[in-house]
Amino acid sequence: MQDSVSLVFTISSAGFVLAICCYAFLFLLLLTDKAANRTKNLLLAFAAVQVFWAMFYLLFSTQPFISADSVIVEALRHILLFLLLFSCLSSSEIRWWSFLAQGAVKLVIPIVFCLALVNVFVPVSNNIIFSINLLLCIGQLALLEALYRRAGPVVWQFKPLVLGLGLQILFDFILLAEAALFSRIDPQLWAARGFIAALVLPLLVVAIRRIRSWAISVYVSREIVVNSTIVLLAGIYLSVLAVAGFSIKLFDLSWTGLLQAILIAVGCLLFAVVALSGKVRRRFKVYIEKNFYANKFDYRTKWLSLTQYLKSLKLQQDVDYQAYLNAWLTATGYQRGALIRAFTPSQLHAVACLGRVSVTADELNLLQHYCQHHARPGWITDLSDQNDSFVQFKGDTLKIDGHLIIPVFDEQQLWGLCILNTPTAERLKLNWELRDYLMIITEQISSYLLLTLASKALSENAQFAAFSRMSAFVVHDLKNVKAQLDLMLNNSKKHMQNPEFIKDSFDTLEAMQQRLGNMLSQLTDKRTDSNSSSKFSVAQELEQVIKHKCAVRKPLPTLHVLNNCMLSLDKERFSSVLYHLIDNAQHATEETGKVEITVDVKTDVASTVLQINITDTGCGMSEQFIQQRLFKPFDTTKGNSGMGIGAYDALQFAQQHNGQLTVSSVEGEGSCFTLTLPVTDDTKE
């Protein structure tokens, strides 16, 4: 019996030693974080109390929960646990005094403290002490249940915390329930208390990493986590064996050869899988590295630096391939590299080199093979990796000044390759983290690069489009010049002896010469708009348009000037726009119809505007035609004789001068175009 008690005492001591080590480690781990908030302080206090609690029971052979010193230690542990749970249930923005002033905190903490004092100074039966601690455990479990329910969408963050603390509190509940029932602490259950406290630690660390509202960044080196996890798995396996042996002893069974053989075979199989399977070890190590160790790069700083650098590259400028290659080198810390354009897998061209000589013909031949057989999206080749298929295929013939080959894809089409290199001592190990990082920066840099190329192509296309658009307007004006020449030639046979006709002909030729000069200037300067402005009379200019341009076609327009004014803008453009509108009205009207032009100046409190109405009695237009086709460029109802830009040009002219062009029309009755332009007070007549 004495040996059994000694064994239990030894096991419980080992458990408390383990708990001291675990929570001392947690305390130091929390000290490494720079966060300063209420939850971190409470976690530090909880870890310190756990160390003190385990050290107390390790050093002093006292009656648990019964002696005065044990009552104080357990009360302190209860208080810290309650404060931690209340903090989780409260907003992280609440200050310390506001947190402590909450009703639940002010009620529970003093009660626990008072109960501890009563147990110390007032003789109380053991059952009452056990029952009081049992009620405190029930309260803590209730708070855990409330925390789980209120977690909502982020419940996965709090699950490890709920499971870990729930396990510890539930074990204390079972221990105290049996103690209250039998008026004593079960020594075997008590021996497991330190182990249970230590078992909670991994779940607490995972919870600290997961819960974002705590803003605590805790990292453990991958070596420690990998090794401790292997030890933990081995411990679980040994625990399974121990439970099996305890069960056999409890039920007075015996080990059979079959059971022993199975357990030994399972253990050997697991050991062989871990020891011999590199794939299993790699997957296990990647999982550990992704979830438990600090990243190699400060991604926030790297991402901001890369974004600011790419932002400094202007999209409108010529493509600077060396600047984009430098972005790759800066983001990785490498010293030299090359950027190669792949027009086809067999047609490669080096567009940039930094820190190295130009790409040789032999390197291009090797890279051609790489592009044809090995390049694929999402994969980066490490030329120092002997297990890589490209490295194995080329073997000793692989002579490329590079460490990493990064393929750049435009959607699913290979755009090119980025080759990076640096001295061997400074090379980065191409693990999962570096692959993901390189793919992210490659996506970012290549997006900017491809956007710059697309912007350049778009700019060139826009220049051609602008020139083509301007040419269309020139062709439109040339047709008008031709119409004037036709009119002169037709009338010359009848009036060539008339001095007035000869004078008008020379005036018309002078106007056409000026128009052709303007068109030639526009073609030379590749502009669609002229910046020349002049002051002119609206009524006089309309008279000239009607006399020299619109007399070719009937019905001849009639001009009504109610109020005239002076305008200061491009006179040639104004005349061209009015001619287009009048000419459209003439085309839409029978020779026996009417085309009337009214000029008026409207003045109100806010502004003064020129209003020109062009009214005809022609075929009219439907509302659908006005909305969908009238102002659409290059859409004409005149067949091959029209360009479809007259109404469009008039609308653009009105909008460019802060005016309006409105249309009212009735099918079969006629149409009215109203052009309004702003007029200053000093130009009114």
Side-chain angles (χ1 to χ4, degrees):
M1 182 65 181
Q2 185 67 28
D3 293 338
S4 177
V5 173
S6 177
L7 178 61
V8 170
F9 177 76
T10 303
I11 294 176
S12 65
S13 299
F16 289 123
V17 169
L18 181 61
I20 292 172
C21 296
C22 289
Y23 286 95
F25 169 75
L26 178 61
F27 183 83
L28 296 175
L29 197 62
L30 290 170
L31 285 179
T32 62
D33 183 69
K34 297 180 181 180
N37 52 54
R38 184 184 68 243
T39 306
K40 179 193 171 182
N41 293 333
L42 287 174
L43 285 170
L44 280 169
F46 177 73
V49 167
Q50 287 284 82
V51 172
F52 175 73
W53 166 83
M55 191 175 295
F56 171 80
Y57 286 114
L58 175 66
L59 299 177
F60 300 99
S61 301
T62 183
Q63 291 182 309
F65 295 100
I66 298 175
S67 63
D69 46 6
S70 177
V71 168
I72 295 175
V73 171
E74 294 293 341
L76 185 61
R77 190 166 181 258
H78 282 305
I79 289 174
L80 261 298
L81 195 52
F82 271 116
L83 286 174
L84 181 61
L85 292 175
F86 280 130
S87 179
C88 294
L89 289 168
S90 304
S91 173
S92 58
E93 299 177 358
I94 298 177
R95 296 182 179 274
W96 263 107
W97 291 113
S98 300
F99 167 70
L100 295 175
Q102 295 182 59
V105 178
K106 289 195 299 184
L107 177 65
V108 173
I109 303 305
I111 288 177
V112 177
F113 185 73
C114 293
L115 289 174
L117 292 179
V118 170
N119 290 338
V120 171
F121 297 105
V122 179
V124 181
S125 66
N126 294 345
N127 285 345
I128 294 178
I129 296 177
F130 295 144
S131 299
I132 291 173
N133 283 276
L134 190 62
L135 291 175
L136 294 178
C137 290
I138 293 174
Q140 292 164 0
L141 289 173
L143 290 177
L144 274 179
E145 190 270 339
L147 176 62
Y148 184 81
R149 283 189 293 103
R150 290 177 55 179
V154 294
V155 66
W156 69 276
Q157 297 181 15
F158 289 89
K159 275 185 178 179
L161 180 69
V162 173
L163 290 174
L165 294 182
L167 173 64
Q168 179 176 298
I169 298 170
L170 188 60
F171 178 81
D172 286 350
F173 176 84
I174 296 173
L175 177 67
L176 291 166
E178 184 176 354
L181 183 61
F182 297 104
S183 299
R184 65 176 180 83
I185 295 291
D186 187 303
Q188 293 186 351
L189 286 176
W190 175 258
R193 202 173 184 213
F195 293 101
I196 297 298
L199 189 61
V200 171
L201 179 68
L203 294 172
L204 286 180
V205 174
V206 173
I208 291 171
R209 284 180 53 84
R210 279 191 181 183
I211 301 175
R212 298 175 182 175
S213 60
W214 290 0
I216 302 175
S217 300
V218 172
Y219 296 106
V220 184
S221 68
R222 74 192 86 174
E223 288 80 10
I224 290 179
V225 176
V226 170
N227 295 333
S228 61
T229 305
I230 293 175
V231 172
L232 178 62
L233 294 176
I236 292 174
Y237 176 72
L238 294 176
S239 299
V240 171
L241 292 180
V243 170
F246 178 78
S247 301
I248 291 173
K249 182 178 179 181
L250 179 65
F251 295 103
D252 197 19
L253 302 175
S254 60
W255 288 87
T256 63
L258 176 61
L259 184 58
Q260 294 179 31
I262 292 175
L263 291 175
I264 293 173
V266 170
C268 293
L269 179 62
L270 292 176
F271 176 79
V273 168
V274 175
L276 301 178
S277 176
K279 185 176 181 181
V280 171
R281 291 199 306 273
R282 284 195 301 270
R283 287 189 176 182
F284 178 69
K285 189 173 182 180
V286 166
Y287 177 81
I288 295 298
E289 290 177 350
K290 282 188 174 182
N291 294 277
F292 290 99
Y293 89 100
N295 297 317
K296 185 183 296 295
F297 301 100
D298 185 350
Y299 294 110
R300 180 184 62 84
T301 303
K302 287 286 187 181
W303 191 257
L304 287 175
S305 176
L306 178 61
T307 302
Q308 291 172 357
Y309 178 81
L310 293 176
K311 187 178 179 180
S312 66
L313 304 178
K314 303 299 182 182
L315 295 179
Q316 291 78 12
Q317 298 177 352
D318 291 337
V319 183
D320 188 357
Y321 290 107
Q322 286 196 345
Y324 288 99
L325 175 58
N326 186 59
W328 263 293
L329 293 174
T330 303
T332 56
Y334 276 42
Q335 297 182 4
R336 60 184 188 270
L339 186 60
I340 298 173
R341 179 78 166 90
F343 298 98
T344 64
S346 59
Q347 185 180 0
L348 306 181
H349 176 66
V351 294
C353 291
L354 285 175
R356 55 161 290 168
V357 297
S358 180
V359 181
T360 64
D362 292 337
E363 288 179 315
L364 289 177
N365 291 332
L366 292 172
L367 294 173
Q368 287 176 2
H369 177 81
Y370 176 84
C371 293
Q372 293 170 357
H373 303 286
H374 298 276
R376 62 181 187 272
W379 183 253
I380 298 171
T381 297
D382 182 357
L383 295 178
S384 63
D385 183 8
Q386 298 301 321
N387 294 322
D388 188 271
S389 58
F390 177 64
V391 177
Q392 289 179 342
F393 181 80
K394 287 302 177 182
D396 296 336
T397 63
L398 183 60
K399 296 180 180 179
I400 297 178
D401 182 12
H403 172 224
L404 302 175
I405 299 180
I406 306 174
V408 180
F409 281 82
D410 182 5
E411 295 181 351
Q412 295 300 316
Q413 183 70 30
L414 179 65
W415 182 90
L417 303 173
C418 179
I419 303 176
L420 305 179
N421 203 1
T422 197
T424 305
E426 300 177 7
R427 289 180 179 178
L428 299 174
K429 183 179 179 181
L430 192 61
N431 56 6
W432 68 269
E433 181 190 6
L434 184 58
R435 287 186 185 275
D436 290 349
Y437 173 68
L438 288 175
M439 291 312 302
I440 290 173
I441 65 171
T442 298
E443 288 291 332
Q444 182 77 347
I445 298 173
S446 62
S447 296
Y448 269 81
L449 174 58
L450 296 174
L451 181 61
T452 305
L453 293 171
S455 177
K456 181 181 178 182
L458 184 62
S459 177
E460 293 175 352
N461 291 335
Q463 292 179 3
F464 281 109
F467 189 80
S468 300
R469 179 170 173 264
M470 180 265 298
S471 301
F473 284 102
V474 170
V475 171
H476 193 272
D477 287 343
L478 285 174
K479 289 179 60 180
N480 297 335
V481 173
K482 179 180 181 301
Q484 290 178 285
L485 289 172
D486 291 342
L487 177 63
M488 287 177 54
L489 291 174
N490 290 334
N491 292 331
S492 64
K493 297 177 181 179
K494 299 179 182 179
H495 307 287
M496 61 185 311
Q497 302 299 328
N498 189 343
E500 292 293 332
F501 172 77
I502 295 174
K503 181 179 181 302
D504 289 342
S505 297
F506 278 104
D507 291 340
T508 303
L509 287 173
E510 183 181 1
M512 287 189 293
Q513 186 269 341
Q514 185 177 0
R515 179 178 293 276
L516 288 172
N518 291 336
M519 288 187 289
L520 184 60
S521 176
Q522 291 179 8
L523 283 172
T524 304
D525 297 339
K526 299 181 179 62
R527 298 195 308 266
T528 58
D529 300 321
S530 175
N531 295 324
S532 60
S533 297
S534 59
K535 193 173 182 179
F536 60 91
S537 169
V538 174
Q540 292 180 4
E541 191 62 27
L542 279 172
E543 289 176 355
Q544 295 297 319
V545 170
I546 293 172
K547 180 179 179 181
H548 296 290
K549 298 181 180 180
C550 300
V552 144
R553 183 178 298 278
K554 293 183 180 180
L556 190 64
T558 304
L559 177 63
H560 304 282
V561 180
L562 303 181
N563 290 292
N564 191 24
C565 70
M566 303 292 289
L567 288 180
S568 180
L569 44 79
D570 186 354
K571 184 172 70 172
E572 289 297 325
R573 180 86 187 279
F574 175 81
S575 301
S576 177
V577 166
L578 267 297
Y579 167 68
H580 293 158
L581 294 177
I582 297 171
D583 183 63
N584 288 342
Q586 289 178 298
H587 273 88
T589 306
E590 298 290 338
E591 293 185 0
T592 56
K594 294 181 180 180
V595 175
E596 297 183 343
I597 305 164
T598 304
V599 179
D600 196 3
V601 177
K602 303 288 186 180
T603 304
D604 56 21
V605 178
S607 62
T608 301
V609 296
L610 167 69
Q611 180 175 302
I612 302 176
N613 294 327
I614 303 173
T615 308
D616 65 70
T617 58
C619 59
M621 297 172 288
S622 65
E623 185 66 24
Q624 181 181 6
F625 180 87
I626 295 173
Q627 296 294 330
Q628 299 182 4
R629 297 187 57 189
L630 178 61
F631 298 109
K632 184 178 180 181
F634 309 111
D635 187 358
T636 180
T637 58
K638 300 177 184 177
N640 294 331
S641 63
M643 296 291 296
I645 58 175
Y648 170 78
D649 186 35
L651 179 62
Q652 295 295 311
F653 174 80
Q655 293 176 349
Q656 289 171 4
H657 293 84
N658 300 319
Q660 291 182 338
L661 179 63
T662 57
V663 184
S664 61
S665 182
V666 178
E667 289 187 275
E669 297 183 10
S671 305
C672 179
F673 284 76
T674 301
L675 175 65
T676 59
L677 296 171
V679 178
T680 58
D681 293 337
D682 59 344
T683 57
K684 291 192 297 183
E685 286 190 352

